[in-house]
Amino acid sequence: MSLSATTAPPSRGAPSKHAQPRRRRGYSRFTRLDMKYSPYLYVAPFFVLFGIFGLYPMLWTLWMSLHDWDLVGTHTFIGLDNYSTLLGDEYFWNAVRNTFGMFILATVPQLALALFLANLLNRPLLRARTFFRMAIFVPNVVSVAAVAIVFGMLFQRDFGVINWFLGIFGVDAIDWRQERWTSWVAISTMVDWRWTGYNTLILLAGMQAIPRDLYEAAAMDGAGPWRQFWTVTLPMLRPTFVFVVILSTIGGLQLFVEPLIFANGNVIGGAQREFQTVQMYMFENSIHNLSKAGYGAAVAWALFLMIVVVSMLNFVITRRSVK
């Protein structure tokens, strides 16, 4: 038998022996590139959007703060003059005092109540847990304007429900918008009602991630519910609690809509600036007064630095105290 009869010629469509390793090398190279660069492509949309709507406005505001900037006119470079003027501005420091006062009055009770409610909703024997978890979030989805209007009516001097209730115990009618402390209490109550449920659900999610084995081991050692909360729940909840504290700090130092509507749209926050926040003062010196936009930008950066410093302090204190 001849050799040509026993050996069939290779088909035209079949790949050669040299092409297959080349294809494997190309596929392997593509896989390495995909594993190396695809994670950056996945997170790129966030950084692109942050750069456009976050970083660029911040840098532009910083540039504006170095100028005598008129939004409808010209602008002149003045260096750090806006910041030196800001340090001697009594209205600015009044706004800082109001902001920190309402921040403390709103944040401390809010976090304590949120921690208590989250621990209550985390109990397995509680009936209708799903209903209560949904109901506690309702205040957060209500329009902030509607919340401020309703609470403004509740805290009216002559016909408000709060003064009516206090009158039952012989307390005279309080003009909640007239005094500094009373306005702080009213606005802080409004903030607490709106944001306590939101923080409760975040803390509840953190509690549900704690292994049940730890509670069972603590119960076997004789620890009651209160002891379990301090020795198991709170230490394991530390990362979530730190996150909630920082989030509340950022929101609490940026109070704007609640006090603005409580003041009936008066950007100075009361007749004598009793509850004007830093955000309101920034609005007064930028949008409300277009010729002082550069000074308003300096106020914005001062607020940003305050938020960074206070958030870092809260982060350190919370990590050391919650163990």
Side-chain angles (χ1 to χ4, degrees), residues 101-119 136-137 139-140 184-185 187-204 207 241 243-255 258:
M102 286 183 280
F103 163 70
I104 295 173
L105 283 178
T107 304
V108 175
Q110 178 188 145
L111 294 178
L113 184 58
L115 191 60
F116 169 77
L117 292 175
N119 187 53
I136 204 170
F137 191 68
N140 188 256
W184 286 5
V185 171
I187 295 172
S188 300
T189 304
M190 187 189 318
V191 174
D192 287 344
W193 184 85
R194 186 164 183 259
W195 289 104
T196 299
Y198 177 82
N199 291 327
T200 299
L201 292 184
I202 296 178
L203 293 174
L204 177 61
M207 290 181 181
F241 192 73
F243 171 76
V244 171
V245 168
I246 294 177
L247 202 65
S248 301
T249 301
I250 296 173
L253 294 179
Q254 295 186 88
L255 278 178
E258 291 89 346

Side-chain angles (χ1 to χ4, degrees), residues 51-120:
I52 297 174
F53 299 104
L55 183 60
Y56 173 73
M58 290 177 58
L59 296 178
W60 183 254
T61 304
L62 178 62
W63 178 249
M64 287 179 60
S65 68
L66 303 177
H67 292 74
D68 182 10
W69 199 290
D70 189 343
L71 288 179
V72 295
T74 59
H75 49 272
T76 306
F77 183 80
I78 57 175
L80 299 176
D81 288 354
N82 282 327
Y83 293 95
S84 60
T85 303
L86 190 67
L87 294 177
D89 188 352
E90 60 176 344
Y91 289 156
F92 170 74
W93 291 112
N94 173 74
V96 171
R97 181 173 59 174
N98 292 335
T99 301
F100 276 91
M102 286 183 280
F103 163 70
I104 295 173
L105 283 178
T107 304
V108 175
Q110 178 188 145
L111 294 178
L113 184 58
L115 191 60
F116 169 77
L117 292 175
N119 187 53
L120 184 64

Side-chain angles (χ1 to χ4, degrees), residues 3-302:
L3 182 63
S4 60
T6 58
T7 305
S11 60
R12 296 182 179 180
S16 64
K17 296 181 179 181
H18 299 285
Q20 291 180 359
R22 190 179 300 114
R23 288 186 179 182
R24 292 195 186 97
R25 288 196 299 269
Y27 179 78
S28 177
R29 188 181 301 110
F30 175 78
T31 303
R32 289 197 301 269
L33 292 176
D34 179 65
M35 295 293 294
K36 184 176 181 180
Y37 295 107
S38 60
Y40 297 98
L41 295 178
Y42 296 148
V43 300
F46 164 77
F47 289 101
V48 171
L49 292 176
F50 175 75
I52 297 174
F53 299 104
L55 183 60
Y56 173 73
M58 290 177 58
L59 296 178
W60 183 254
T61 304
L62 178 62
W63 178 249
M64 287 179 60
S65 68
L66 303 177
H67 292 74
D68 182 10
W69 199 290
D70 189 343
L71 288 179
V72 295
T74 59
H75 49 272
T76 306
F77 183 80
I78 57 175
L80 299 176
D81 288 354
N82 282 327
Y83 293 95
S84 60
T85 303
L86 190 67
L87 294 177
D89 188 352
E90 60 176 344
Y91 289 156
F92 170 74
W93 291 112
N94 173 74
V96 171
R97 181 173 59 174
N98 292 335
T99 301
F100 276 91
M102 286 183 280
F103 163 70
I104 295 173
L105 283 178
T107 304
V108 175
Q110 178 188 145
L111 294 178
L113 184 58
L115 191 60
F116 169 77
L117 292 175
N119 187 53
L120 184 64
L121 293 174
N122 193 42
R123 294 185 177 181
L125 299 179
L126 179 66
R127 295 184 178 181
R129 287 185 299 170
T130 303
F131 169 77
F132 288 117
R133 291 172 183 177
M134 294 175 58
I136 204 170
F137 191 68
V138 170
N140 188 256
V141 300
V142 178
S143 170
V144 62
V147 173
I149 292 173
V150 171
F151 273 83
M153 297 175 63
L154 291 176
F155 284 99
Q156 280 185 350
R157 183 187 62 181
D158 298 324
F159 305 102
V161 177
I162 305 299
N163 279 341
W164 169 81
F165 178 76
L166 294 176
I168 298 177
F169 303 95
V171 180
D172 295 333
I174 301 174
D175 191 348
W176 296 94
R177 293 179 175 86
Q178 189 67 28
E179 301 295 334
R180 186 182 303 273
W181 279 99
T182 55
S183 59
W184 286 5
V185 171
I187 295 172
S188 300
T189 304
M190 187 189 318
V191 174
D192 287 344
W193 184 85
R194 186 164 183 259
W195 289 104
T196 299
Y198 177 82
N199 291 327
T200 299
L201 292 184
I202 296 178
L203 293 174
L204 177 61
M207 290 181 181
Q208 291 180 334
I210 300 175
R212 303 303 303 178
D213 297 342
L214 298 178
Y215 292 103
E216 295 175 0
M220 292 179 62
D221 291 338
W226 184 250
R227 185 66 177 174
Q228 291 179 20
F229 174 78
W230 286 104
T231 58
V232 177
T233 303
L234 207 55
M236 296 297 294
L237 196 65
R238 182 174 62 178
T240 306
F241 192 73
V242 170
F243 171 76
V244 171
V245 168
I246 294 177
L247 202 65
S248 301
T249 301
I250 296 173
L253 294 179
Q254 295 186 88
L255 278 178
F256 178 71
V257 178
E258 291 89 346
L260 181 65
I261 300 181
F262 188 75
N264 297 321
N266 184 7
V267 74
I268 68 173
Q272 300 296 326
R273 301 177 184 266
E274 290 87 0
F275 52 94
Q276 185 186 46
T277 62
V278 178
Q279 279 272 46
M280 296 171 68
Y281 189 63
M282 178 189 68
F283 186 85
E284 179 188 0
N285 287 280
S286 54
I287 305 301
H288 199 261
N289 190 351
L290 299 179
S291 62
K292 299 180 65 176
Y295 189 70
V299 176
W301 263 91

